[in-house]
Amino acid sequence: MRIGIIGAGQLGQMLALAGHPLALQFRFLDSSGDAPGARVAPIVVGAFDDLSALRRLAGEVDLVTYEFENVPVAALHEMAAKRPCFPPVEALRVSQDRVLEKEMFGRLGIPTPPYRAVDSRTDLDAAVAALGFPCVLKTRRLGYDGRGQRVLKRRSDVGPAWEALGSVPLILEGFVRFEREVSIVGARSTRGETRAYPVVANMHREGILRVTVAPARAPRLQRAAEGYLRCVLDHFDYAGVLTIEFFVEGGRLVANEMAPRVHNSGHWTIEGAATSQFENHLRAILGLPLGDTRAVGHSAMVNYIGRMPDRARVLALAGAHHHDYGKAARAGRKLGHCTVVARTAAERDALLARLVRLVPR
Ligand code: AMP
């Protein structure tokens, strides 16, 4: 069985690595021939909307998936006409637009921050009047890792934010004074079997995920998060891994966004869960039984952003699992991560504190 993966970044690389023990073969499509995935499977080099490259990929594989949210929907439709393609194109389409995503959450009864679509300066002024300060102005599409967004604290922030972002459709969201941020990763197979991982706690800085603690100590949130996740999975007749990120505000979940793919906040599952999110994604799209999603201990994952730590010092930590994606260093770029796994939460917290001291900020 040959699987095509659109995008050859670290998520694609980890998917292919998870598929090797299942005797799966992979081909990537990526605009760069030396993306991280190149180390584990061949890359068809071409833009994500390059029809001849998409046709070549389709010709070389039995099934297609994607690891990247900004794949043009038209390209994926093209692909889906030739080969089975999961997760469903409709889930990707909705996830690419923050307004469509929030409308979908609302229809399914999943709470979101208050929001308004903003297509003009007049819309923005009306939205600010309705939501008040502070609020967050974001591009509806193509935002990630906090890019394409501004927090508006006072009236004098509105004009410059409009100047910076106003050339594309926007959304204004009420600022959520969250206690913490959490996410849930789960999978649904083509046969309709569904499993969810434990809810995890995520720490962001400058809009980029820095640390995930798994499981989050959140027994009351688990049931609600799982309920919301299943609702979205069933809504799309979904196959593959899906992630939903939430704010916790006043002890309740408020949905921020979803990702129709394996997710950075699920990297801990490689060593910290009975079955990794990557293997479960593959099982799900192949219609195989899903693997156990239970945590096997207490884990924490730290992203390496912009600079790598000293590998030997990380490896000297017992229980540390170092991942180097092989990317060139650049400010703000995710270059790798490390997961520590321990028997108890206290041991995990101690290991995490030691790991964090080794990771350049
Ligand atoms: P996003 O790209 O929407 O995931 O936003 C990146 C990060 O910005 C989130 O993880 C939050 O830490 C912060 N953020 C985004 N939207 C809001 C909001 N409406 N209220 C408060 N913080 C936010």
Side-chain angles (χ1 to χ4, degrees):
M1 172 67 80
R2 286 161 308 171
I3 296 181
I5 303 179
I6 303 180
Q10 63 267 17
L11 298 175
Q13 180 188 33
M14 288 185 270
L15 272 171
L17 287 171
H20 286 163
L22 299 174
L24 301 173
Q25 293 179 11
F26 295 89
R27 291 280 183 286
F28 293 106
L29 173 73
D30 202 286
S31 56
S32 161
D34 63 357
R39 299 190 298 173
V40 292
I43 298 185
V44 173
V45 178
F48 296 122
D49 57 358
D50 172 346
L51 290 186
S52 71
L54 285 165
R55 274 189 213 113
R56 260 178 63 213
L57 180 70
E60 292 182 17
V61 301
D62 305 298
L63 191 79
V64 174
T65 188
Y66 50 91
E67 57 102 77
F68 175 67
E69 234 153 294
N70 293 327
V71 179
V73 165
L76 210 60
H77 270 304
E78 179 82 15
M79 203 53 145
K82 295 186 170 56
R83 291 285 178 270
C85 192
F86 304 110
V89 183
E90 181 59 10
L92 180 79
R93 188 182 75 83
V94 170
S95 77
Q96 287 181 346
D97 183 321
R98 292 181 190 273
V99 172
L100 297 184
E101 194 173 66
K102 286 194 169 56
E103 285 172 356
M104 183 263 314
F105 283 138
R107 276 197 301 274
L108 297 178
I110 303 172
T112 66
Y115 67 94
R116 295 284 186 282
V118 171
D119 291 320
S120 65
R121 179 63 206 260
T122 316
D123 284 353
L124 178 57
D125 291 335
V128 167
L131 302 182
F133 294 107
C135 48
V136 189
L137 188 63
K138 302 179 178 180
T139 57
R140 276 175 71 159
R141 301 172 58 82
L142 301 176
Y144 69 100
D145 283 350
R147 288 172 212 210
Q149 52 182 277
R150 294 277 183 104
V151 176
L152 311 185
K153 294 189 177 133
R154 55 190 73 82
R155 185 141 304 282
S156 59
D157 293 338
V158 177
W162 174 254
E163 287 303 313
L165 302 177
S167 58
V168 292
L170 303 172
I171 181 173
L172 188 75
E173 298 176 9
F175 188 88
V176 180
R177 290 189 174 79
F178 55 82
E179 291 102 60
R180 56 181 179 155
E181 295 185 83
V182 300
S183 60
I184 188 160
V185 176
R188 185 175 186 273
S189 80
T190 53
R191 293 167 188 267
E193 183 189 1
T194 301
R195 287 191 187 233
Y197 288 94
V199 168
V200 300
N202 300 317
M203 274 66 83
H204 296 85
R205 204 173 60 246
E206 291 147 8
I208 305 177
L209 180 66
R210 305 287 162 158
V211 176
T212 294
V213 171
R217 293 183 200 97
R220 282 187 300 113
L221 299 179
Q222 182 73 32
R223 195 189 307 177
E226 257 187 75
Y228 294 152
L229 180 82
R230 280 174 207 275
C231 225
V232 177
L233 290 171
D234 290 341
H235 170 73
F236 289 113
D237 192 16
Y238 197 89
V241 159
L242 175 86
T243 306
I244 308 181
E245 295 183 76
F246 299 96
F247 303 115
V248 183
E249 187 190 31
R252 76 190 245 289
L253 294 172
V254 177
N256 178 25
E257 59 182 358
M258 70 169 193
R261 54 169 172 78
V262 288
H263 194 257
N264 195 172
S265 70
H267 288 3
W268 67 276
T269 61
I270 298 175
E271 297 90 4
T275 315
S276 81
Q277 63 164 345
F278 301 99
E279 182 173 334
N280 261 338
H281 181 75
L282 297 170
R283 291 187 187 209
I285 64 177
L286 291 167
L288 295 169
L290 296 180
D292 190 349
T293 46
R294 262 175 301 185
V296 295
H298 294 263
S299 303
M301 189 255 2
V302 177
N303 270 334
Y304 301 148
I305 313 278
R307 283 165 60 202
M308 290 294 288
D310 182 308
R311 181 175 63 182
R313 294 183 70 194
V314 172
L315 293 177
L317 282 180
H321 302 273
H322 176 80
H323 295 253
D324 181 341
Y325 308 146
K327 290 157 84 170
R330 196 194 313 137
R333 197 174 197 203
K334 288 177 183 168
L335 303 177
H337 75 268
C338 183
T339 299
V340 289
V341 185
R343 267 186 318 110
T344 65
E347 284 172 34
R348 184 265 324 276
D349 291 346
L351 265 176
L352 173 60
R354 290 173 63 195
L355 174 61
V356 164
R357 282 198 291 276
L358 300 178
V359 177
R361 285 166 61 96

